[in-house]
Amino acid sequence: MADAMLYTLEGDIAVLGAQNPPVNALGLAVRQGLMEGIARAEADGAKALVIYGTGRTYFAGADIREFGKPPMDPYLPDVCLRLEASPLIIVSAMHGTALGGGLEVALSTHYRIAVPSARMGLPEVHLGLIPGAGGTVRLPRVAGVMAALDMVTSGRHVPAAEALDMGVIDRIADGDPREIGIAYARDLIDSGAAPRPVSELPAPEGIDFDAAYAAALAKGRGQLSPAYGVRAVQGACELPFLDALKRERALFSELMETDQRKGMIHAFFSERAVSKLPELEGVAPRDVQALGVIGGGTMGAGIATAALLSGLSVVMLEMSPEAAQAAKDRIAGNLQGALKRGKIDQAGFEHLTEKALTLATEYDALAGADLIIEAVFEEMAVKKEVFRKLDAVAKPGAVLASNTSYLDIDEIASVTSRPADVLGLHFFSPAHVMKLLEVVVGEATAPEVAATGFALGKRLKKIAVRSGVCDGFIGNRILSTYRTAADHMVLDGASPYQIDKVMTDFGFAMGPFAVADLAGLDIGWAVRKRKRAEGLPEGARDSTYVDKLCEDGHFGQKTGTGFYIYEAGKRAGVPNPQVDDLIAAERAEQGITPQDFSDDDILRRYMAAMVNEAAKVVGEGIARRPLDVDMVLLFGYGFPRFNGGPLKWADMVGLEGLLSDIKAYAETDPHFWTPAPLLEQLVAEGRTFDDLNKG
Ligand code: 3HC
Ligand code: NAI
């Protein structure tokens, strides 16, 4: 008997407990243990077999680390068929999360019981896959087509009570999973129950699967797995059981070979690896319970909201009582959203707004704070003034953080007497919603201060990524480069609307020009004015057509007009014809003869700019690993998860082709297109970005 499954016999009930921590993934040893366990229970003359998980969960799915490698016998679908066909009464007793292959095993057993806190689902879709061990064939038989389609295409985790209503499980009972499983098996034996294979249930009536397929493809912005899930469920309705299983397996195997699957599994592991930095291993973070926030505008209010929701107390410091009240109103508005979604109740809302939040206008109020985040105006002089005052009042050991988007953390830290306690905590707007947090580690930042940034990120349920200090840190620096590439393409002949369309077809929720409208065109205008005042570098290209929109008071969504015109009540805009005229005038003024850009030209240039800058960011050590960049773009900039992140995507399309594109672009614009040394090095050595993640 393989050690991964613990076999015991309790009278006429055999019991198999999975022991493959941390999540009882269904790796080879577990599958072997299941096969051996069934045979042994049958040989021992047991009447029933109970399957459960030791530790924190029932099986949380197939072992994802085995994907992409040659499959090893016994295969999970065969294990499922073996379970289903056994003459014993087989009971699954579930706790924790029964996911993917885990739920598929459960559906192959004859009866299912779960503790109230258990959750179950078929999340394969998030790995670029569909269930591959009968989930799409058995689930519609027990829960119906619509429920199955929902679970297969969304991957959502269904709580036990809902699973009971859906018919996915038969019973809920409180207690130890092994004990409730044995008790259920006893009841079944005593009541003369028989094995009950799901395969013997009739196939459900079908629906308009072509429409469901098209809807899934559109909703996933080109992600294949939800749409393939629809086809697999269709097979369950239209084909005999075993043929439907074959159809599911064929679709599963097809997806296994796709870049989307590789991209999404890269995202799964990177999301977990990103906060594990070798340099912070064993470094204890400082304790943080009381937070101070300076500046309660868009960002400060969002940060305070996230902190309050995670149980921290917040002192909010503003410039005047009126501004403090306005900050409180913003926070209360955010918390109203949480109240509406049932994340907090009315009493919780009142506690957070009236007790956990304190308003202040004097710095003394921050004396007790463990960590203070500044989110005042983006001006170095203002930031320095704030940090000087903070230095005077903050208690020893307090962490002092800036939410600056671009400014130099080292320069900010230099005005304090304790630069080791200073770091950047760069949140994204809206800060209580967006998952990304860049932890910006300065030259002098102490390791435990960086660790405290990561601990805070975890507490606020953020994906925290380490960044070094540079203009714009990881994300905004790369954004600014690919935005510039897009601006150059517009000057040279592409339309902003074509570029937006190409990038949404690639999988971004919005294209760069729609994003500019959302953020406010005034922001970019201010940056351009500042850069022109500082003097543009030799050879840099510039354009002023967007300034003309701004001069007329068109700042994008907030004024109703920008690159797009937004009708009241509608989120998506229609192209603004004035923009084409302004661009044409600008080209004429600069003596540019517009050239045609195919969709492929646009995608290649846009992505080449993104990858090249990302490679510079890694090469300079601003990001420690390529996966850090990938997670920044995924969680802060809407990069489509099924493409893995820019550097995983680069690996998949091939670094050599990207480098030769960059070199070709450099022939006409050597200022903008300078190949990243790291990219050149990887191409020369025949290595990939992913190779650097492993080191
Ligand atoms: N295979 C291999 N490793 C897994 C795994 C899996 N299915 N699920 C989790 N792990 C690993 C994680 O990588 C992590 O490793 P680390 O400690 O080295 O970083 C460790 O287990 C703990 O995972 P989490 O940090 O995510 O723990 P949480 O408690 O936060 O979450 C969970 C637990 C909800 C189970 C979450 O890990 C999860 O969602 N796992 C993936 C579940 C899944 O997608 N299952 C379907 C797999 S595909 C499949 O079954 C195909 C089948 O149809 C044939
Ligand atoms: P905002 O203008 O909405 O809010 C700034 C707030 O700071 C105002 O309420 C103002 O009253 C207050 N303030 C200004 N000086 C102060 C002082 N000396 N003491 C106390 N309060 C003071 O600005 P926003 O957008 O919230 O940005 C704040 C910071 O966050 C900036 O550094 C910005 O670069 C950064 N940031 C902004 C993002 C965004 O999308 N808006 C995203 C990430 C970072």
Side-chain angles (χ1 to χ4, degrees):
M1 170 74 53
D3 292 342
M5 293 300 292
L6 178 72
Y7 179 90
T8 47
L9 193 61
E10 304 273 335
D12 53 1
I13 300 175
V15 186
L16 266 180
Q19 36 185 17
N20 185 24
V23 299
N24 288 323
L26 287 148
L28 178 64
V30 175
R31 300 197 300 277
Q32 282 169 341
L34 274 165
M35 288 302 244
E36 288 168 26
I38 307 162
R40 186 161 167 192
E42 288 170 2
D44 282 348
K47 289 191 177 137
L49 170 66
V50 173
I51 298 175
Y52 75 103
T54 64
R56 61 199 237 206
T57 184
Y58 187 76
F59 310 104
D63 188 336
I64 301 169
R65 289 163 308 186
E66 289 181 357
F67 293 171
K69 299 179 187 154
M72 281 174 294
D73 197 12
Y75 311 117
L76 194 57
D78 296 336
V79 174
C80 290
L81 285 171
R82 174 73 177 88
L83 282 167
E84 192 169 53
S86 172
L88 306 186
I89 294 170
I90 307 190
V91 172
S92 279
M94 294 179 267
H95 77 299
T97 43
L99 299 174
L103 183 57
E104 292 176 296
V105 166
L107 287 166
S108 308
T109 63
H110 305 132
Y111 296 90
R112 289 164 289 281
I113 185 168
V115 301
S117 59
R119 300 167 77 82
M120 48 213 76
L122 295 172
E124 286 88 342
V125 73
H126 298 308
L127 302 172
L129 289 168
I130 59 166
T136 66
V137 183
R138 290 192 178 90
L139 186 62
R141 280 175 163 74
V142 300
V145 170
M146 296 316 287
L149 277 176
D150 167 45
M151 283 180 71
V152 169
T153 59
S154 74
R156 104 187 145 85
H157 296 186
V158 173
E162 189 184 347
L164 183 68
D165 286 345
M166 291 162 79
V168 176
I169 57 173
D170 304 293
R171 244 190 222 195
I172 293 181
D174 233 332
D176 176 66
R178 186 177 189 276
E179 299 312 319
I180 61 168
I182 292 174
Y184 188 25
R186 178 88 274 137
D187 284 356
L188 288 164
I189 295 170
D190 291 350
S191 64
R196 196 187 52 170
V198 170
S199 58
E200 288 178 7
L201 296 174
E205 280 285 304
I207 56 156
D208 181 350
F209 284 108
D210 287 345
Y213 176 87
L217 205 53
K219 193 167 175 219
R221 298 197 192 97
Q223 188 188 334
L224 295 173
S225 49
Y228 272 48
V230 172
R231 289 297 183 220
V233 172
Q234 179 175 10
C237 298
E238 297 173 358
L239 300 171
F241 183 79
L242 288 178
D243 291 344
L245 285 185
K246 275 194 201 132
R247 170 99 176 111
E248 177 197 75
R249 197 68 191 167
L251 291 165
F252 174 86
S253 303
E254 207 181 300
L255 286 171
M256 190 61 95
E257 298 309 314
T258 59
D259 281 352
Q260 291 199 358
R261 191 277 296 168
K262 290 174 198 151
M264 291 188 95
I265 288 184
H266 169 75
F268 178 87
F269 285 117
S270 299
E271 199 176 327
R272 287 160 176 79
V274 75
S275 59
K276 292 178 190 145
L277 287 171
E279 72 214 54
L280 294 183
E281 214 169 291
V283 179
R286 293 182 188 164
D287 186 38
V288 174
Q289 296 304 330
L291 207 74
V293 178
I294 309 180
T298 312
M299 292 308 291
I303 295 166
T305 306
L308 289 166
L309 283 170
S310 72
L312 295 166
S313 69
V314 175
V315 175
M316 166 60 72
L317 183 95
E318 259 287 357
M319 293 200 287
S320 65
E322 296 72 34
Q325 184 56 43
K328 182 177 178 180
D329 292 346
R330 263 178 227 116
I331 295 168
N334 294 341
L335 290 172
Q336 282 287 351
L339 182 62
K340 260 191 222 138
R341 286 191 305 279
K343 278 176 87 179
I344 48 170
D345 58 14
Q346 186 61 35
F349 175 82
E350 272 152 33
H351 171 78
L352 294 185
T353 48
E354 302 307 325
K355 297 246 160 47
L357 174 68
T358 314
L359 300 181
T361 52
E362 300 295 334
Y363 275 73
D364 290 348
L366 298 171
D370 302 310
L371 187 150
I372 301 150
I373 305 176
E374 157 286 306
V376 303
F377 302 136
E378 183 76 346
E379 276 172 44
M380 184 53 95
V382 183
K383 304 274 190 204
K384 282 185 172 169
E385 184 56 25
V386 165
F387 271 77
R388 271 191 207 101
K389 288 186 182 157
L390 208 46
D391 191 27
V393 298
K395 67 182 183 187
V399 172
L400 313 183
S402 172
N403 182 48
T404 177
S405 308
Y406 288 94
L407 300 175
D408 184 342
I409 295 292
D410 294 329
E411 195 178 334
I412 294 174
S414 73
V415 303
T416 71
S417 62
R418 37 177 142 178
D421 291 338
V422 177
L423 85 172
L425 288 177
H426 184 217
F427 289 82
F428 289 72
S429 181
H432 57 297
V433 177
M434 291 292 285
K435 294 280 279 179
L436 180 63
L437 171 66
E438 284 179 325
V439 177
V440 186
V441 179
E443 229 165 60
T445 307
E448 74 268 20
V449 170
T452 309
F454 276 96
L456 180 74
K458 189 167 183 198
R459 176 136 191 198
L460 303 187
K461 299 197 178 72
K462 304 289 180 201
I463 300 290
V465 183
R466 182 204 178 279
S467 172
V469 176
C470 69
D471 192 16
F473 315 122
I474 297 176
N476 281 345
R477 173 170 159 183
I478 296 171
L479 164 74
S480 141
T481 304
Y482 64 77
R483 253 313 304 241
T484 304
D487 289 338
H488 290 175
M489 284 190 272
V490 168
L491 276 181
D492 291 337
S495 122
Y497 312 109
Q498 187 191 3
I499 295 175
D500 274 0
K501 166 101 179 31
V502 170
M503 296 325 297
T504 51
D505 286 350
F506 180 76
F508 277 92
M510 297 168 96
F513 297 97
V515 169
D517 270 1
L518 179 67
L521 298 182
D522 48 327
I523 293 181
W525 191 27
V527 173
R528 283 193 298 280
K529 282 196 276 197
R530 197 186 71 216
K531 291 204 166 156
R532 284 179 200 133
E534 287 166 2
L536 294 181
E538 179 79 28
R541 304 178 69 183
D542 194 13
S543 65
T544 56
Y545 75 93
V546 189
D547 302 353
K548 298 195 173 88
L549 280 178
C550 295
E551 282 158 16
D552 290 345
H554 301 316
F555 294 155
Q557 284 203 16
K558 60 185 160 192
T559 59
T561 307
F563 282 98
Y564 296 84
I565 296 172
Y566 301 88
E567 275 178 48
K570 284 197 189 153
R571 217 190 141 93
V574 294
N576 176 3
Q578 192 197 351
V579 170
D580 285 333
D581 297 342
L582 289 171
I583 293 169
E586 174 99 44
R587 287 180 192 140
E589 204 175 294
Q590 294 201 25
I592 297 168
T593 311
Q595 63 191 76
D596 277 341
F597 281 86
S598 70
D599 288 357
D600 186 50
D601 291 335
I602 288 174
L603 183 67
R604 279 165 63 178
R605 277 186 186 251
Y606 196 86
M607 291 306 297
M610 193 186 297
V611 170
N612 199 38
E613 194 64 28
K616 288 179 187 172
V617 161
V618 177
E620 291 166 22
I622 299 297
R624 281 275 187 261
R625 301 155 298 185
L627 70 86
D628 293 323
V629 173
D630 285 343
M631 294 307 99
V632 166
L633 269 291
L634 233 58
F635 288 99
Y637 297 82
F639 191 95
R641 190 178 173 95
F642 61 77
N643 282 316
L647 295 179
K648 179 68 185 174
W649 176 88
D651 281 347
M652 294 190 296
V653 298
L655 302 189
E656 213 171 330
L658 276 161
L659 181 60
S660 79
D661 275 355
I662 292 165
K663 285 183 173 163
Y665 305 148
E667 282 170 19
T668 44
D669 185 356
H671 172 78
F672 182 74
W673 294 101
T674 53
L678 178 62
L679 181 59
E680 292 191 302
Q681 186 193 333
L682 289 175
V683 170
E685 293 170 358
R687 297 166 76 210
T688 63
F689 285 110
D690 215 16
D691 290 336
L692 305 180
N693 288 326
K694 291 168 189 135

